[in-house]
């Protein structure tokens, strides 16, 4: 019997189609490298020029990138509109160049974290043109910046965690350790993808629910869900939840070891900033969760079960710049249809509801509930052909939402 290894080498047939974004994906590494390539050189240059007040701004590079640069770039460059054809999917899926880019995110992510810890605790930064150490405002700025790097790193972990390769699953856990959000690996894969767009899913937001109300519900709900899922898995295996076999505990242990090492090297002073950056990181993730399925719900079938997830149950956006930075996360319907599909092969669905802009712009909008409701509630209503009762509505706000649209409960 011949095997694949015994077969003679054959030339790989390269399809005529080319990914025009092939080298654009390198921009996805700007987030974890920006502190070294833009932030520190700019701080040094501004101090050398005597513009010391402006030299404080680059410490806030993360918020500037996420809330200003990327949204403006989305507007300028617009939607992508380029889907890979069926005949290149296998070739594209097996092109290791794309997965190596996600691997590279992690060393840069942790290099930025270590550099931030050094800057926060250093007493002499004369090499940057700074007398003594950083001001508290600068320390907060750099903590928020590396928190956003860690938050985007959670998206990298999301891409890696869905894969069947053991190395990539371990890298996913490593990426999550910075934000102390290792339980996301369990809850997202085994919880969210099962319950998406249902009232039972803590990561699916509801009409009438602000981001600020969603945040504690999804943070606590996801943690509880991950624990219960892992506990049930271990019980099936005849093992106890409080053991080394518990993947939630092992994920948290990675974060404890990381934080302990950083405190041991840089001192206790760094701990509040580590906590701050972790909250910023997982809050950025939850802001994305808030907008991905807002108000969308799977209807129950005659059997009482929920219908299968479909393109209509995820808000999509095909704005190219955010897609580059988030590895096509905005092509969310395709991701839920094919969770193990690699980012470079994800495609836009014609039947999916679309956001008016990229995720980066919509995150900022989500922080201001009146503006969010003005932009999004009418889109949810239109998606359900004017019948708001078909949407996923926050139970505490249901009567108010129905009254706003003159709707009545369905029998």
């Amino acid at each position: 019997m011949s095997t694949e290894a015994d077969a003679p080498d054959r030339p790989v047939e390269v399809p005529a189609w080319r990914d025009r974004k092939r080298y654009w994906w390198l921009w996805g590494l700007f987030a974890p490298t920006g502190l070294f390539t833009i932030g520190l050189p700019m701080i040094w240059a501004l101090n050398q020029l005597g513009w010391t007040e402006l030299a404080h701004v680059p410490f806030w590079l993360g918020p500037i990138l996420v809330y200003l640069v990327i949204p403006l770039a989305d507007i300028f460059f617009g939607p992508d509109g380029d889907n890979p054809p069926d005949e290149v999917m296998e070739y594209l899926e097996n092109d290791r160049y794309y997965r190596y880019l996600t691997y590279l995110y992690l060393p840069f992510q942790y290099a930025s974290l270590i550099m931030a810890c050094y800057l926060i605790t250093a007493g002499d930064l004369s090499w940057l043109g700074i007398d003594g150490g950083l001001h508290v405002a600068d320390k907060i700025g750099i903590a928020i910046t590396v928190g956003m790097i860690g938050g985007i790193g959670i998206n990298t972990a999301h891409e890696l965690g869905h894969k069947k390769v053991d190395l990539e699953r371990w890298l996913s856990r490593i990426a999550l350790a910075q934000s102390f959000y290792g339980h996301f690996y369990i809850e997202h894969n085994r919880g969210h993808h099962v319950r998406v767009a249902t009232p039972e899913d803590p990561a699916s937001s509801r009409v009438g629910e602000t981001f600020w109300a969603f945040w504690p519900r999804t943070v606590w709900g996801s943690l509880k869900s991950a624990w219960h899922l892992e506990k049930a898995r271990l019980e099936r295996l005849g093992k106890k939840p409080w053991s080394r076999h518990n993947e939630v505990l092992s994920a948290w242990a990675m974060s404890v070891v990381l934080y302990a090492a950083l405190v041991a090297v840089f001192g206790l002073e760094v701990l509040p900033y580590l906590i701050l950056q972790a909250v910023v990181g997982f809050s950025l993730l939850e802001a994305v969760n808030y907008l991905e399925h807002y108000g969308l719900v799977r209807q129950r079938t005659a059997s009482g079960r929920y219908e299968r997830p479909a393109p209509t149950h995820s808000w999509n956006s095909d704005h190219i710049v955010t897609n580059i930075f988030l590895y096509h996360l905005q092509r969310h319907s395709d991701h839920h249809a094919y969770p193990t599909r690699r980012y470079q092969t994800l495609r836009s669905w014609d039947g999916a509801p679309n956001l008016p802009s990229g995720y980066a712009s919509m995150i900022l909008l989500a922080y201001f509930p009146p503006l969010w409701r003005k932009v999004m509630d009418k889109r949810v209503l239109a998606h359900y052909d004017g019948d708001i009762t078909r949407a996923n509505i926050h139970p505490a706000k249901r009567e108010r939402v129905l009254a706003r649209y003159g709707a009545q409960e369905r029998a």
Side-chain angles (χ1 to χ4, degrees), residues 266-329:
F266 296 104
L268 198 59
E269 178 191 355
V270 80
L271 184 57
Y273 298 99
L274 287 175
I275 295 171
L276 172 60
Q277 66 84 28
V279 173
V280 169
F282 68 69
S283 295
L284 191 62
L285 162 76
E286 298 301 358
V288 171
N289 277 338
Y290 178 77
L291 57 91
E292 285 177 333
H293 306 283
Y294 178 76
L296 304 178
V297 67
R298 288 149 56 192
Q299 307 299 322
R300 290 192 182 273
T301 63
S303 67
R305 294 189 175 189
Y306 288 110
E307 62 184 327
R308 292 178 62 83
T312 56
H313 300 131
S314 300
W315 289 101
N316 281 10
S317 173
D318 206 25
H319 284 70
I320 192 167
V321 175
T322 302
N323 263 343
I324 292 296
F325 277 89
L326 294 183
Y327 300 117
H328 269 161
L329 181 67

Side-chain angles (χ1 to χ4, degrees), residues 37-323:
T37 58
I38 299 293
L40 296 180
M42 186 177 292
I43 292 167
W44 178 84
L46 290 171
N47 281 324
Q48 294 302 309
L49 292 170
W51 298 346
T52 55
E53 293 302 315
L54 281 177
H56 297 288
V57 174
F59 289 109
W60 297 80
L61 183 63
I64 292 170
L65 176 69
V66 172
Y67 298 137
L68 184 62
V69 175
I70 295 179
L72 288 176
D74 268 337
I75 294 171
F76 181 80
F77 289 98
D80 183 352
D82 187 20
N83 281 337
D86 290 339
E87 59 269 21
V88 304
M89 294 294 275
E90 183 178 1
Y91 171 80
L92 198 58
E93 185 84 9
N94 293 321
D95 189 337
R96 290 180 176 271
Y97 163 79
Y98 296 94
R99 70 183 71 178
Y100 291 156
L101 292 181
T102 58
Y103 298 175
L104 277 173
Y105 191 99
L106 274 66
F108 293 133
Q109 172 186 342
Y110 277 95
S112 294
L113 176 64
I114 292 168
M115 175 56 77
C117 291
Y118 162 71
L119 293 172
I120 287 169
T121 57
D124 179 13
L125 292 173
S126 55
W127 61 277
L128 272 178
I130 297 172
D131 293 329
L134 297 182
H135 298 301
V136 173
D138 296 333
K139 294 179 181 181
I140 293 173
I142 198 166
I144 291 174
T145 291
V146 296
M148 289 185 164
I149 293 170
I152 299 173
I154 296 177
N155 178 65
T156 307
H158 167 263
E159 168 66 21
L160 294 169
H162 273 292
K163 303 305 174 280
K164 298 178 180 179
V165 180
D166 287 341
L167 170 64
E168 291 178 295
R169 294 188 176 193
W170 271 108
L171 291 175
S172 175
R173 293 181 176 96
I174 292 170
L176 291 167
Q178 176 182 336
S179 300
F180 222 112
Y181 228 54
H183 56 278
F184 169 80
Y185 174 84
I186 292 103
E187 153 56 22
H188 181 82
N189 290 353
R190 286 152 44 194
H192 174 65
H193 271 264
V194 174
R195 298 176 302 213
V196 62
T198 69
E200 292 77 25
D201 181 28
S204 293
S205 60
R206 306 154 176 174
V207 173
E209 182 178 36
T210 68
F211 168 71
W212 306 108
F214 171 77
W215 186 90
R217 181 174 74 85
T218 188
V219 170
W220 180 241
S222 296
L223 190 155
K224 287 197 303 181
S225 174
W227 181 263
H228 291 313
L229 287 166
E230 188 62 3
K231 181 181 178 182
R233 182 186 73 87
L234 292 172
E235 285 176 350
R236 289 193 298 270
L237 296 174
K239 301 181 186 297
K240 295 182 179 180
W242 293 97
S243 71
R244 63 183 178 84
H245 304 287
N246 189 317
E247 292 187 348
V248 173
L249 294 179
S250 63
W252 290 345
M254 291 177 70
S255 296
V256 170
V257 170
L258 171 65
Y259 283 37
L262 292 173
V263 169
V265 173
F266 296 104
L268 198 59
E269 178 191 355
V270 80
L271 184 57
Y273 298 99
L274 287 175
I275 295 171
L276 172 60
Q277 66 84 28
V279 173
V280 169
F282 68 69
S283 295
L284 191 62
L285 162 76
E286 298 301 358
V288 171
N289 277 338
Y290 178 77
L291 57 91
E292 285 177 333
H293 306 283
Y294 178 76
L296 304 178
V297 67
R298 288 149 56 192
Q299 307 299 322
R300 290 192 182 273
T301 63
S303 67
R305 294 189 175 189
Y306 288 110
E307 62 184 327
R308 292 178 62 83
T312 56
H313 300 131
S314 300
W315 289 101
N316 281 10
S317 173
D318 206 25
H319 284 70
I320 192 167
V321 175
T322 302
N323 263 343

